[in-house]
Amino acid sequence: MDPTSVNIRAATAEDLPFVLGLVPRLTEFGAPPWRPAAAIEADSAASLAQALEEPTDDGAVLVAEDGGGEGLGVVHVEVEADPITGEERAFVGDLIVTREAEGKGVARALMAAAEAWARSRGLGSLTLYVFAGNLRAREFYARLGFLEDGVRLVLPLEDRRPVS
């Protein structure tokens, strides 16, 4: 697939079945055991459904399609306030491509569209979360120029003796 043949457009409520069908791909890399895949998927599905069913000017769901209108992927981007500075920034809640579109420039095209959306609103940065164990995604974002902002650590307490 030629990345130049990818069309990015605003999603509509009619895209909901396609978009929700992509959600299980979010956990294929193997989420941490304290983050059940079903909970991750439910959270993303709810966020995407709300964004499509109740769109606002502070967010966008963008769909990538091939030349024939076949869905290839989705990105959800919205405005949020930085918790430290209070400055508005763009946040990518979800980036998901079909298995067939993986490695073919679709995710890059969707992220370029999310960046353009953020720039058009005068936002100074584009942020996202990625699970530490999702090395493929982390490498992809690094190639796009994303920098690590912080590292969140977790100490699972179940089946563990207290620190002495």
Side-chain angles (χ1 to χ4, degrees):
M1 166 184 315
D2 175 10
T4 60
S5 67
V6 174
N7 177 47
I8 309 290
R9 65 168 176 80
T12 66
E14 289 77 37
D15 292 307
L16 191 58
F18 166 70
V19 170
L20 294 182
L22 291 173
V23 169
R25 298 228 53 226
L26 290 171
T27 58
E28 287 181 358
F29 72 94
W34 55 88
R35 298 274 190 183
I40 294 168
E41 293 171 21
D43 180 63
S44 287
S47 175
L48 287 162
Q50 181 175 3
L52 284 171
E53 293 170 345
E54 303 169 25
T56 69
D57 291 339
D58 287 339
V61 179
L62 307 171
V63 170
E65 298 177 327
D66 65 15
E70 186 72 26
L72 301 171
V74 65
V75 65
H76 178 206
V77 60
E78 56 194 336
V79 176
E80 71 170 12
D82 183 287
I84 296 171
T85 67
E87 292 179 20
E88 287 190 331
R89 62 187 185 185
F91 174 72
V92 173
D94 293 292
L95 171 66
I96 320 168
V97 298
T98 64
R99 188 170 285 107
E100 298 75 25
E102 200 171 286
K104 297 184 176 155
V106 175
R108 181 177 290 273
L110 284 164
M111 288 302 292
E115 181 179 341
W117 181 89
R119 286 182 184 277
S120 75
R121 281 152 182 77
L123 302 173
S125 64
L126 184 61
T127 66
L128 54 83
Y129 292 112
V130 62
F131 286 110
N134 192 345
L135 297 180
R136 183 174 182 175
R138 291 178 66 193
E139 290 168 358
F140 167 74
Y141 293 124
R143 285 192 305 274
L144 293 181
F146 280 80
L147 305 172
E148 288 189 5
D149 181 45
V151 177
R152 184 179 192 146
L153 303 176
V154 176
L155 176 65
L157 300 178
E158 192 171 295
D159 300 323
R160 178 184 163 78
R161 291 179 35 174
V163 175
S164 50

